[in-house]
Amino acid sequence: MNQSEIPAVPMPTILIVDDSLSYLAALLDRLERHGFLIVLAQTAAEGLMRAEFADPDLILLDVVMPDIDGFEACRRLKAGKKTKDIPVIFMTGLTDPKQKVTGFDAGGVDYITKPFQIEEVLARINTHLALRRANRELHDMIGTLAKAREDLVRNEKLAGLGALVAGIAHELNTPIGNSLMASSTFELQTEEISRHMSKEGGITRKEFEHYIENARMSVDILSRNLHRAADIVTNFKQVAVDQTSSQRRSFLLAEVIAGNLLTLQPTIKRTPFVITQQVPADLMMESYPGPLGQIVTNLINNAILHGYEGRSEGLIAVSAQLSAQGWVTLSVEDHGVGINKADLPRIFDPFFTTKMGVGGSGLGLNIVHNIVTEILGGRIDVSSEVGGGTRFTLTLPMCAPVR
């Protein structure tokens, strides 16, 4: 990149508000020499207007001015949407500590005492400009992280939908296969009885009764399996709506857990692990079943990938009960390798993982923690010991806070 291609760094803009022309002239001369773009105002009202339109990086504000003093001007700046984040440094000849407290309460960040030394002014200006740049960078970083988090949650939902499609395809294989077998058999029997009827002599009563018995059996098989397929589709449709919309509704916890376990069946059946569910059939909640299902799915996958890493068998138990205080306690427990005691306080931290570089992002449990606390209005605890397994316990209100 040649010199002409280097992007120009914008000059910091400083607004100086002071009713003394001599101070304005002195500051203008000195600060312009040090590369600052200076905007001047002789009254607080003029300063408020220029702050709105010039969007300065910093304001030097005299305290003692006619009509509106510096403290009131600062309060108005901090109340303005466009000017509330601009750092304000007061310039004053006052030395009363109470005045300084008043200035800080009004929103000022620093003081310059008149008569000032230009070196002190420059040092304070550069310090607060650096702080503002750092704050802006932090704000941008927070925005980027929030966007990344949204993308991660969206990707998790897409992954969940992929598992949902695989799950419904897997679960429909059996009832549809049985229905096809029954219908094919019935079709062959019907063709055979039709041939018999077209022959001279027709069919016997015994042959017809046998055909009717087979027909009843085929209809029964078809009815049971097609109803089973319809139930599966209805169940998966509800899970899909919950996962993609994150809508609040009333639901039976056992049905939501069972629906999400169905989506995991294709994954589970490729492993030697068994999942059990012990949830009261009548436990009703008013909450967000989609995020709740996402938590259960994440915790089960976590147990399979990490808890039972290197194991050839294992049990994952999902259980729930209603406490005497009216809270729902939901736990996901394995008997796997456990978690080191030193790692337990950090497992919900973003980007913490013992599998960095080998497939672990360190965000799964952080997302779980955020969903539990921010959406479901509960808390999540973990107990574990090396070689003794891990239990994640969710304590949730039966009625989640309205988002």
Side-chain angles (χ1 to χ4, degrees):
M1 180 181 291
N2 59 43
Q3 191 69 26
S4 62
E5 293 175 326
I6 298 175
V9 178
M11 298 167 61
T13 300
I14 298 176
L15 169 62
I16 306 174
V17 185
D18 197 316
D19 61 341
S20 170
L21 285 173
S22 60
Y23 273 111
L24 286 176
L27 284 170
L28 174 64
D29 179 58
R30 296 294 187 88
L31 295 180
E32 281 189 334
R33 291 183 192 177
H34 287 84
F36 297 111
L37 180 63
I38 306 301
V39 178
L40 301 177
Q42 284 189 270
T43 66
E46 184 183 0
L48 290 171
M49 180 186 67
R50 291 188 182 278
E52 185 78 19
F53 292 101
D55 190 22
D57 296 290
L58 185 141
I59 298 173
L60 296 178
L61 181 60
D62 188 23
V63 171
V64 181
M65 288 185 292
D67 298 328
I68 304 171
D69 67 15
F71 297 145
E72 177 59 26
C74 186
R75 293 188 190 98
R76 296 187 187 184
L77 286 168
K78 296 305 169 184
K81 185 176 180 181
K82 289 184 64 177
T83 57
K84 62 185 177 68
D85 295 324
I86 303 172
V88 175
I89 299 178
F90 287 112
M91 300 184 297
T92 180
L94 302 173
T95 56
D96 184 357
K98 290 183 180 178
Q99 292 287 331
K100 291 191 175 184
V101 171
T102 302
F104 288 129
D105 287 343
V109 296
D110 209 342
Y111 266 89
I112 296 173
T113 304
K114 295 180 179 179
F116 52 77
Q117 297 292 324
I118 191 61
E119 291 78 10
E120 179 190 1
V121 175
L122 288 170
R124 293 181 186 273
I125 287 174
N126 286 325
T127 295
H128 290 289
L129 286 176
L131 284 172
R132 193 178 191 209
R133 280 195 300 270
N135 283 333
R136 282 176 167 171
E137 290 171 2
L138 181 60
H139 186 270
D140 291 342
M141 186 181 297
I142 290 171
T144 301
L145 288 173
K147 176 68 167 55
R149 180 180 167 190
E150 289 177 4
D151 291 342
L152 284 167
V153 172
R154 190 178 300 111
N155 289 338
E156 289 241 349
K157 287 184 177 180
L158 291 174
L161 285 176
L164 194 69
V165 172
I168 192 170
H170 183 274
E171 290 300 312
L172 286 175
N173 274 340
T174 299
I176 289 177
N178 290 341
S179 298
L180 285 172
M181 179 194 69
S183 65
S184 299
T185 302
F186 186 48
E187 183 181 19
L188 291 173
Q189 290 171 344
T190 302
E191 288 178 357
E192 184 178 356
I193 200 74
S194 179
R195 286 197 302 270
H196 281 220
M197 290 180 66
S198 63
K199 291 181 180 179
E200 188 177 345
I203 60 172
T204 65
R205 181 183 181 87
K206 186 176 181 180
E207 287 174 333
F208 186 71
E209 288 176 348
H210 181 66
Y211 171 75
I212 293 298
E213 182 63 27
N214 286 335
R216 285 176 179 158
M217 187 182 301
S218 297
V219 169
D220 180 61
I221 293 172
L222 282 167
S223 178
R224 282 189 288 109
N225 281 278
L226 290 176
H227 275 100
R228 171 62 181 153
D231 289 342
I232 289 172
V233 170
T234 300
N235 185 47
F236 274 91
K237 186 167 70 172
Q238 185 61 66
V239 174
V241 170
D242 288 339
Q243 287 187 357
T244 54
S245 67
S246 296
Q247 291 297 309
R248 176 191 175 99
R249 67 178 177 89
S250 298
F251 59 89
L252 290 168
L253 180 59
E255 290 184 357
V256 167
I257 299 297
N260 281 275
L261 292 185
L262 276 177
T263 68
L264 289 168
Q265 283 304 312
T267 300
I268 297 167
K269 288 188 176 181
R270 292 196 295 268
T271 71
F273 310 120
V274 176
I275 299 179
T276 63
Q277 174 182 337
Q278 287 186 312
V279 181
D282 59 348
L283 183 48
M284 179 75 74
M285 296 182 69
E286 174 78 22
S287 189
Y288 299 91
L292 180 57
Q294 184 182 350
I295 290 170
V296 173
T297 299
N298 280 8
L299 292 178
I300 290 173
N301 283 329
N302 193 70
I304 292 173
L305 294 174
H306 304 295
Y308 285 121
E309 184 179 23
R311 302 285 184 94
S312 58
E313 60 180 3
L315 174 71
I316 301 168
V318 182
S319 59
Q321 61 182 12
L322 185 62
S323 72
Q325 293 75 31
W327 288 69
V328 176
T329 303
L330 175 64
S331 66
V332 177
E333 182 178 10
D334 66 66
H335 303 286
V337 298
I339 302 170
N340 288 322
K341 187 175 181 179
D343 292 336
L344 278 176
R346 303 174 58 199
I347 61 171
F348 296 119
D349 292 349
F351 305 111
F352 174 75
T353 177
T354 58
K355 303 291 183 184
M356 189 62 73
V358 288
S361 68
L363 288 168
L365 289 179
N366 177 253
I367 290 172
V368 165
H369 180 273
N370 289 338
I371 291 174
V372 172
T373 56
E374 296 176 15
I375 298 178
L376 303 182
R379 74 172 191 269
I380 181 169
D381 302 294
V382 59
S383 59
S384 183
E385 59 180 75
V386 175
T390 302
R391 175 197 286 262
F392 288 94
T393 303
L394 281 66
T395 304
L396 306 171
M398 293 186 69
C399 186
V402 178
R403 294 171 61 191

